[in-house]
Amino acid sequence: MAKENSFDVVSKVNLSEVNNAINIALKEIQTRYDFKGSKSDIKLENEEVVLISDDDFKMSQLKDVFISKLIRREVPVKNLDYGKMENAFGGTVRQRAKIVQGIDKENAKKINNLIKNSGLKVKSQVQDDQIRVTGKNRDDLQQIISAIRSAELPIEVQFVNYI
């Protein structure tokens, strides 16, 4: 009897890498001339990044520095859900970016539809915040992985437990 092969589709962000990216970005901000005398700061509170800066222009520069450090540390920047910019204490502006962990129902539906529309003999099943894909043929599973990678999803996904 043929053995079932499977893998899991997950969306996870390594919070320690986010913390490292924040520390590196803060070091760069302290040494940059255009941030001299600025009240710019980046903090990680629970699963939310808080960016504080003097004005909108400095905020966009702060985000650019932070995103470049995230990319260098291979943290998926698609999983940052930015809120609106708000005024903060002392004439500064603040913006919160929620770190999205796991696959929500809407994205799970998109991925399941993509798998079903592929026409391959595989089954997909939503398990909490991940999707398990099973099939007898490993080549079919590889095709599903490449189809999900090429799809335009609002979150970054990883493939784990490939058995």
Side-chain angles (χ1 to χ4, degrees):
M1 189 164 132
K3 183 176 126 240
E4 289 273 315
N5 300 305
S6 68
F7 67 88
D8 294 333
V9 182
V10 298
S11 180
K12 295 192 178 184
V13 176
N14 188 344
L15 292 177
S16 63
E17 288 296 335
V18 172
N19 205 16
N20 290 340
I22 288 172
N23 291 333
I24 293 168
L26 286 173
K27 282 182 184 176
E28 181 176 325
I29 288 167
Q30 289 171 353
T31 61
R32 277 181 51 165
Y33 180 75
D34 54 343
F35 280 101
K36 199 164 209 90
S38 171
K39 298 175 188 166
S40 298
D41 192 21
I42 307 172
K43 291 183 240 173
L44 181 65
E45 296 175 353
N46 298 328
E47 288 193 5
E48 197 171 60
V49 177
V50 180
L51 300 139
I52 300 171
S53 195
D54 295 337
D55 52 34
D56 295 351
F57 180 70
K58 281 235 180 9
M59 178 63 77
S60 68
Q61 288 181 317
L62 181 67
K63 281 173 35 177
D64 287 345
V65 170
F66 177 56
I67 288 172
S68 71
K69 302 310 173 199
L70 287 175
I71 291 170
R72 205 172 269 156
R73 303 208 62 86
E74 297 179 1
V75 176
V77 293
K78 276 185 170 180
N79 288 26
L80 291 177
D81 184 21
Y82 288 99
K84 65 177 187 160
M85 209 168 306
E86 53 195 38
N87 292 328
F89 181 72
T92 58
V93 291
R94 173 179 47 222
Q95 188 170 21
R96 296 179 182 274
K98 186 176 182 281
I99 299 173
V100 178
Q101 298 272 33
I103 302 172
D104 61 338
K105 287 184 179 185
E106 183 180 316
N107 290 317
K109 264 187 185 175
K110 287 180 187 176
I111 294 171
N112 273 334
N113 285 337
L114 182 76
I115 293 169
K116 284 182 174 69
N117 294 337
S118 70
L120 299 170
K121 292 184 178 182
V122 295
K123 293 179 273 184
S124 62
Q125 172 182 7
V126 177
Q127 299 175 338
D128 294 329
D129 60 350
Q130 66 183 22
I131 299 172
R132 164 90 29 106
V133 180
T134 57
K136 290 185 180 178
N137 191 348
R138 282 183 168 251
D139 293 336
D140 290 347
L141 294 179
Q142 290 289 339
Q143 288 179 341
I144 293 296
I145 288 174
S146 66
I148 293 172
R149 278 196 178 128
S150 65
E152 290 294 320
L153 296 172
I155 57 171
E156 191 76 30
V157 294
Q158 297 89 24
F159 306 97
V160 295
N161 298 335
Y162 187 69
I163 303 170

